Amino acid sequence: MKKTTEITIRRPDDWHLHLRDGDVLKTVLPYTAELFGRAIIMPNLKPPVRTRPEILSYRQRIVDCLPSNHTFQPLMTMYLTDETSPEEIRRCTNDDLIAAVKLYPVGATTNSEFGVTNSKKVYPALELMQELGIPLSVHGESSGPDVDIFEREAAFIERDLEPLRQDFPELKVIFEHLTSKVGVDYVLSSGKEVAATITPHHLLITRNDIFAGGLQPHMYCLPIAKREEDRQAIRKAAVSGDPRFFFGSDSAPHLVSSKENAPGAAGIFNIPTALAYVAQVFEEDSALDRLESFLSTNGARFYQLPINSDTITLQKATQPLSEPKDLSIGSDRVRVFRLSDPLQWIVTEGLKKTSV
Ligand code: NCD
Ligand code: ZN
């Protein structure tokens, strides 16, 4: 059979993205805007984006940084805290200001200090969200001192998610950046209310990569990469075409000075290589015919948004591509996610070039 060397798909969306603010926002946003139609914007700024005025203001700062000819649409989220009132959520949904509300268990990841201490505290908010059909986006890790870091996802399902779903069976839940076999099995055993995002890096790396030849801070993110059997499970879910699994980059830029440091910041910036790596994975697993479902249609359907009508084209490179370059920010840099082997795929058409 002839090998596929070129594929055209509807323009993808990114269902989990950190854009940050200020200079970092300005630097990273064009890389997303040239490729993606929309992205779910994570609200874990410092301080977090918790109220309607804060969400409006953050959205405006993003739009202000968009290159002039771009049609990229940021889909905003609200950071849930113990104090979030259902009224504040209602105020943000009347005009569709938010696409989801984000639950960070307190202390689970970067800028989660204001996160939820106990899901019972947010029950009034969840009640309203269930009624209005607003999805809950969850950082699915329990981070108590008694939980092994590689078991955090399993502990979250048992201690937090399953009890919450028993009480709110109709609530739409997105299990963000799924990393474990237990997590995949949980989504598969749930109904259509539960979906999950999967990142490019978790399709490719395991915990071995974090310790290969020393401590590798650029392979460190949360949830932490897990065992090979977990990687295989999320890979199988991603390439399956099952509508409950879709792309969320979890691209999370940190300056190199705070990654190569103690303690090193958790998060991987991957947008410039994300689509190439995802295409590579789908090719390796003979699933290129399902690439569009994962990147461009499953997520929109879950969020009940229109599917993008324009397209992008990816091509298999005929010769090894050069290493992606880090992004300069002042005297610092943001490192682009890459593996030691050269990239194999490249976006050749549909790039929304930045005009000057
Ligand atoms: C993210 C960040 O830096 O904001 N870090 C990460 O390791 N993924 C937060 C998150 O999504 O957990
Ligand atoms: Zn994230």
Side-chain angles (χ1 to χ4, degrees), residues 152-329:
R152 282 173 163 197
E153 211 162 84
F156 179 78
I157 292 169
E158 199 184 306
R159 296 179 185 184
D160 301 291
L161 188 54
E162 186 47 27
L164 187 155
R165 293 208 51 250
Q166 295 277 338
D167 291 336
F168 300 98
E170 309 286 314
L171 180 67
K172 289 176 84 170
V173 175
I174 303 116
F175 203 132
E176 300 291 347
H177 36 51
L178 203 62
T179 56
S180 65
K181 179 169 185 322
V182 176
V184 170
D185 290 343
Y186 184 77
V187 175
L188 289 173
S189 69
S190 305
K192 61 178 179 5
E193 298 78 22
V194 181
T197 53
I198 294 177
T199 78
H201 43 284
H202 289 114
L203 292 171
L204 288 159
I205 65 170
T206 67
R207 59 193 198 176
N208 280 1
D209 294 285
I210 307 168
F211 304 105
L215 190 55
Q216 301 293 346
H218 300 293
M219 297 291 164
Y220 173 54
C221 67
L222 290 169
I224 200 150
K226 301 199 167 51
R227 296 168 185 271
E228 176 60 11
E229 68 202 48
D230 296 299
R231 190 181 74 94
Q232 292 295 343
I234 58 164
R235 209 163 146 136
K236 195 167 157 203
V239 303
S240 70
D242 186 315
R244 291 170 292 185
F245 299 102
F246 40 86
F247 174 81
S249 69
D250 193 22
S251 181
H254 289 275
L255 296 173
V256 166
S257 57
S258 57
K259 292 285 292 171
E260 297 177 4
N261 202 344
I268 291 176
F269 172 67
N270 59 19
I271 294 301
T273 55
L275 295 183
Y277 279 135
V278 172
Q280 179 183 323
V281 164
F282 275 66
E283 183 195 19
E284 284 168 4
D285 292 2
S286 308
L288 279 174
D289 57 329
R290 295 188 285 266
L291 184 67
E292 184 179 63
S293 316
F294 181 68
L295 286 175
S296 321
T297 62
N298 290 350
R301 294 223 163 89
F302 186 80
Y303 276 91
Q304 295 181 300
L305 291 168
I307 309 285
N308 295 326
S309 52
D310 58 336
T311 60
I312 62 162
T313 300
L314 288 126
Q315 259 177 26
K316 185 92 193 258
T318 45
Q319 50 203 7
L321 297 167
S322 53
E323 276 223 325
K325 289 204 175 53
D326 294 345
L327 313 188
S328 294
I329 298 190

Side-chain angles (χ1 to χ4, degrees), residues 16-18 42 44 102 104 109 139 176-177 222 250-252:
H16 183 131
L17 175 68
H18 301 267
M42 288 295 141
N44 62 331
K102 179 70 192 268
Y104 290 99
T109 187
H139 182 104
E176 300 291 347
H177 36 51
L222 290 169
D250 193 22
S251 181

Side-chain angles (χ1 to χ4, degrees), residues 113-130:
E113 304 80 273
F114 293 88
V116 173
T117 60
N118 175 339
S119 20
K120 289 267 166 9
K121 301 234 173 164
V122 295
Y123 267 30
L126 300 182
E127 187 81 57
L128 179 72
M129 288 166 59
Q130 176 171 257

Side-chain angles (χ1 to χ4, degrees), residues 18 29 47 56 60 94 117 131 138 211 259 277 316 353:
H18 301 267
L29 180 61
L56 281 167
Q60 193 56 48
N94 286 341
T117 60
E131 186 195 314
V138 294
F211 304 105
K259 292 285 292 171
Y277 279 135
K316 185 92 193 258
K353 287 276 182 230

